Amino acid sequence: MSMKRLALLATAIAGGLAMATPALAQAQNTLTIVREVDSDRYDPHRSTARAASEVLFMLADTLVSLDHDMTSIKPGLAESWTVSPDGKVYTFKLRSDVKFCDGKAMTADDVVYSLKRWIDPATRSPVRWRAGPVEDIIAKDATTVEYRLTAPFSELLYQLTQSFAVVIDKANVEALGADFGVRGFNGTGPYCWGEWRPRNDMRLRRHDAYRWGPPIYENRGPAHIQEIVWRIVPEENTRLAAVLTGQSQATQYVPYSGMAQIRANRNLRIVDNPAAFWTYFIGFKVDKAGVDDPAVRRAMVMAVDQEAISRDINFGETEPAYSYIHQSATDWNKAVDSRLIRTNVAEANRILDEAGWVRGADGFRSKNGVRLSPLAYGFTGSTWQKLMETVQGDLRKIGVDLRIQLFDATVAWGKLATQEFDLFGMSFPYITAGDALNLYFRSTNAPTPNRMNWKDAETDRLLQTGMTAVSDAERAAAYGQVLQQVHDAAVWIPLYHEPMKVAANSRLAPFKAHNIYGCGFYKGLDLRFTR
Amino acid sequence: MTVVTANEPVVAPRRYGNLRRLFRDKLAITAAVLLILLVLAALLAPWLAPNDPYLTNTRLRMLPPVWETRGRWEFLMGTDGLGRCMLSRLLYGLRATLMMGVVATAVGGSIGLLLGLFAAFYRRLDGLIMHLSDILLSFPAILLGLSFAAVVGPGMTAVVISLAVATIPTVVRVTRASALVVMGQDFIEAGRSIGLNDRTLLVRYLALNCISSVFVYMTLRFGQVILLGSALSFLGLGAQPPVAELGTMASAGRNELFLAPHIAVMPSLVIVVLVLCANLLGDALRDMLDPRLRHT
């Protein structure tokens, strides 16, 4: 078809022009990964974006690591650890052979400094809460760290696998000051800071002394690839063209519409991780007129066709979501399976009729002078534009006039912290039920990230019980009750769970994709060119 | 010496040959006919559209136009990424885009015309108005659009305001230049000497003698406004979903460029035709009304 060929050619040329010059200069052992956005900086305590974590996992290490199954905790910088019977003291035994990129040996003091900087109010880390209720963190000797809590924190080990908990070099932080993570970064990871050209590319060079990779990899170090280039290509079709033409050898940022082309190309393949622990949803502000009616929320959830979104909009590449977290995540409550709201437009219309919401001449419903036309805020870009418009189309079928306002990411986060809207679109990574629930449903987290204004004493009590539980069963029971509570209240419209899918050039040897914080390459130790 | 009376301001004699000249310009006539057809299509969109432009059906998404193998007669121009009828959305999109262009040009042009006339007529205001106009000229329309979108939120209102504001300074300059020439004519002095008030002088003597050149400029500006408005909508600052607007439609279509290029190409083509017609017509009008170009 000539039109399609023309479009393909034009995009390939555009992609080629953007990338050709550096690509020609690339050495054989350089891996170029294209991605959509850059981070504003690479300071683990101040950057919460996935774009930052992707690079930080390669630049630095954590005390413990997460296996590809997204549930098993494995050693990292700590070769072993013990937990006191009351769940308040974690003692980590560190490896003694770890070195920073500048050759300096890593000690327990570095670990203590890093973790204390994370929780220091002066750092103003937005993810400080993830460190738990810390009483103190002490270096008992050069290879022993004691992590003391004021109350048990069942999520601690999972949180310590995240990029916020990486070990950094005090001298490097102090020397660079405000430029830490902007002009340099001295870590213990498999790669070292090369050069960063913001919104263009980040170059990482191999850490040759690296031997302490997590046991989830066959190769514990040093990395096979000499240099990794994270290149920013905002336009999705240009990213696809870059992969198709071999200018990028791997990326997880290929549009769903291009997956079939990748699969059909014998020089490419898809490497996936079925643990779809990244969920897209639309949340309700439960105290706003109209959507404060549980019947309205339930009907709206019921009207949305999640299967059609995954099948048609996402080309069958995602998993329809009826639950707020993936049902294989740790502490999912199986009793909620039968209570999940499934698509049923007729039933949704019946619920609204019964609740007294009457259709007007324009086909949209109102009750007591309140018109059912909630306002939804979201992000600009193809993903949310398509999702919001699809949901808007579904809701028209039950007489709900969804109004949409999409904002650029630079404005959106500020807008999403206001009380101006009735619904909001969001996606988030998680590891366990507690991880997700504590983030979104605690009263103290309103108005953001608890943008639903869900303030419920019972939820808070159960979340606290789950967080301070010392047994798995106790924790699962508490979180399980919260899951049932919020699903029954229809606080979100779950849309889909996104599995990790990495498009890889066949020159790369087989490797496993990870999904920690949505970062498909994690430490990248098994990445290797075969030719 | 010609005697000028107060009730008979001197205006350029009507040129009955102008219309004939316009009709002889085949390109201009084609542009005018196309433009009229497009305006009619936009006005009659609710009756012409074969389907509901907002009805989504993801199972029918990205159907090609009817002349391609997978095309279906019920969707002559195919469907978009959400399964909505492209033809219906093009008709409604044309309506929104034309309305945006007309309102922004009319509002910005009217304000610019008034300010330009004031600058030429009241010399003490000249400096102030022209400095303000220069300041406005230093802001690109895209930047203005971003600023208004940040204040009033993205949407047609923000786009129309920013386009109107961006139109003002250029219209001020064109009007002022034209008005200054008229101000140097004897009949203005004659009007003053017989005691006509400022309003009569401004409206009957000055404005009527400048209006043709300003009108020609606004015709050309209309094309630019459509293009700028579509660019702002392409960036997500314009019409918000599900409202169909040509720039927004082109923007949404680029995500499916590999699989269904018609989604981006069709609204882009309509923009091209619209802008081309407006520019050709503007050029023809300028040729017709400018005596220096009449015999070239």
Side-chain angles (χ1 to χ4, degrees), chain A residues 21 41 178 226 229 242 277 290 295 306 365 368 387:
Chain A
T21 315
R41 57 174 62 233
Q226 187 71 39
V229 181
F277 289 3
Q306 287 94 337
R365 295 176 186 267
N368 302 329
L387 283 177

Side-chain angles (χ1 to χ4, degrees), chain B residues 218-275:
Chain B
M218 297 225 302
T219 318
L220 289 167
R221 179 69 191 169
F222 176 71
Q224 294 170 359
V225 163
I226 296 279
L227 212 54
L228 273 172
S230 301
L232 286 168
S233 293
F234 188 86
L235 294 174
L237 304 172
Q240 295 298 296
V243 175
E245 195 279 329
L246 297 177
T248 316
M249 289 171 70
S251 171
R254 82 197 147 126
N255 300 317
E256 278 96 20
L257 208 55
F258 279 132
L259 300 166
H262 70 279
I263 302 174
V265 169
M266 282 180 178
S268 306
L269 274 179
V270 178
I271 294 172
V272 169
V273 172
L274 199 57
V275 175

Side-chain angles (χ1 to χ4, degrees), chain A residues 323 325-327 329-334 336-337 340 433 483 487:
Chain A
S323 55
I325 59 168
H326 197 271
Q327 284 147 283
T330 303
D331 293 340
W332 169 254
N333 181 0
K334 289 193 186 307
V336 180
D337 286 347
L340 298 176
L483 283 167
H487 278 80

Side-chain angles (χ1 to χ4, degrees), chain A residues 41-53:
Chain A
R41 57 174 62 233
Y42 292 92
D43 180 335
H45 305 141
R46 291 182 178 143
S47 313
T48 58
R50 165 160 60 175
S53 297

Side-chain angles (χ1 to χ4, degrees), chain A residues 17 21 27 70 182 212 272 289 305 398 427 444 453 460 462 488 494:
Chain A
L17 284 174
T21 315
M70 296 288 286
V182 177
W212 45 90
D272 58 1
D305 190 347
I398 60 163
S427 69
T444 47
N453 293 336
D460 287 340
L462 288 166
D488 285 353

Side-chain angles (χ1 to χ4, degrees), chain A residues 28-45:
Chain A
Q28 182 73 12
N29 204 11
T30 295
L31 174 70
T32 300
I33 304 170
V34 285
R35 57 181 181 158
E36 187 174 2
V37 291
D38 205 346
S39 178
D40 58 341
R41 57 174 62 233
Y42 292 92
D43 180 335
H45 305 141

